[in-house]
Amino acid sequence: MARRKLIAGNWKMNGHLDHLRELHGIEKAAKSHADVDVAICPPATLIAPAVQRTPGLTIGGQDCHEEDRGAHTGCVAAPMLAEAGAKCVIVGHSERRADQGESDADVQGKALAAHRHGLQAIICVGETEEQRDAGEAEAVVTAQIAGSVPPEATADWLVIAYEPVWAIGTGRIPTIDDVAAIHAAIRAKLGDIIGGEADGVRILYGGSMNGDNASDLLAVDNVDGGLVGGASLSADKFVPIIEAAAG
Ligand code: PEP
């Protein structure tokens, strides 16, 4: 099945208002490569101004709470992201799984909250270096999929990002064969959970993707785009990835 490529940027805890100038070049590239979906997930404080300044660009959040409101100091609810103009939200990023101790069940709750409020959920999964060295990468990732993906999910609101933890921000990437094997395993596990919908779900690769390696990674079967950290912070580095996705 043909799936539109999605290139999503994760700014993490980087950027202030003045950094939004980078979005203009990204918006321009998104418009001239209309066959590619492009999104930027800035810090929550920048979502509304980003939407206002670059209305042609999809803006997303980096996390949401599983509940819609309540006594959860410091958390952001999915309806708040939606009100700010977000269209998608990353959930279960490995930095949150590690730093905030988020479980697969938490991530599933967050994905459902996103869907309740009309946001696409980008669920992140990925093994640590120790797990890969122990030959456990596929088992770890498919278990994360089994625990994190809501059985009621459909392809129009679910996106998966496979992000090996050891590849994030390190400049190292898995071999093309390893990427192909894990993405195929993710697609198969999705089939077990959501049946025929699995064919339409986009599975992104994330971890040190850049303008030099994007073409090779995006050409792999079942790689339907990229989740990009460092290289999404500047238009100069992000636009070549959009161009690679456009072929
Ligand atoms: C990420 O953390 O989602 C990521 C892919 O980071 P980087 O591209 O910097 O490795």
Side-chain angles (χ1 to χ4, degrees):
M1 152 181 261
R3 292 173 292 266
R4 282 174 65 85
K5 291 261 195 294
L6 167 62
I7 304 296
N10 172 14
W11 280 11
K12 311 192 185 191
M13 199 172 71
N14 296 295
H16 295 269
L17 275 176
D18 63 346
H19 203 82
L20 295 180
R21 65 178 179 273
E22 295 297 328
L23 295 184
H24 295 294
I26 296 171
E27 182 185 43
K28 197 169 154 213
K31 280 186 182 154
S32 48
H33 299 292
D35 55 330
V36 178
D37 290 336
V38 178
I40 290 286
C41 302
T45 51
L46 294 182
I47 292 174
V51 170
Q52 197 182 22
R53 289 183 199 192
T54 48
L57 199 53
T58 297
I59 302 298
Q62 298 176 11
D63 176 54
C64 67
H65 199 278
E66 46 269 53
E67 293 174 19
D68 291 351
R69 70 190 67 76
H72 303 292
T73 303
C75 297
V76 179
M80 297 169 182
L81 296 177
E83 186 179 58
K87 300 286 183 233
C88 60
V89 58
I90 299 166
V91 292
H93 190 282
S94 61
E95 287 156 11
R96 293 199 59 87
R97 289 179 185 261
D99 298 350
Q100 276 74 36
E102 290 182 2
S103 67
D104 289 334
D106 295 332
V107 175
Q108 185 174 143
K110 289 165 184 271
L112 286 169
H115 174 54
R116 280 199 302 279
H117 296 282
L119 303 172
Q120 287 203 324
I122 304 174
I123 295 181
C124 301
V125 295
E127 81 285 356
T128 63
E129 185 152 33
E130 293 69 31
Q131 290 164 334
R132 174 156 287 276
D133 290 347
E136 296 167 354
E138 193 172 310
V140 166
V141 167
T142 52
Q144 288 174 326
I145 292 287
S148 307
V149 171
E152 56 271 66
T154 53
D156 58 335
W157 64 268
L158 176 67
V159 176
I160 303 294
Y162 166 57
E163 300 203 300
V165 177
W166 52 272
I168 292 178
T170 60
R172 297 161 57 206
I173 59 169
T175 66
I176 292 300
D177 285 351
D178 286 343
V179 173
I182 295 275
H183 278 242
I186 291 173
R187 179 92 51 213
K189 180 52 77 176
L190 284 173
D192 294 343
I193 303 166
I194 60 173
E197 283 293 317
D199 281 349
V201 173
R202 288 174 299 180
I203 306 175
L204 314 183
Y205 167 80
S208 297
M209 185 180 269
N210 59 41
D212 293 331
N213 61 29
S215 297
D216 289 344
L217 288 163
L218 293 168
V220 178
D221 267 0
N222 288 305
V223 174
D224 307 308
L227 181 55
V228 182
S232 70
L233 285 165
S234 77
D236 282 354
K237 291 188 174 157
F238 195 56
V239 168
I241 301 176
I242 298 170
E243 288 168 351

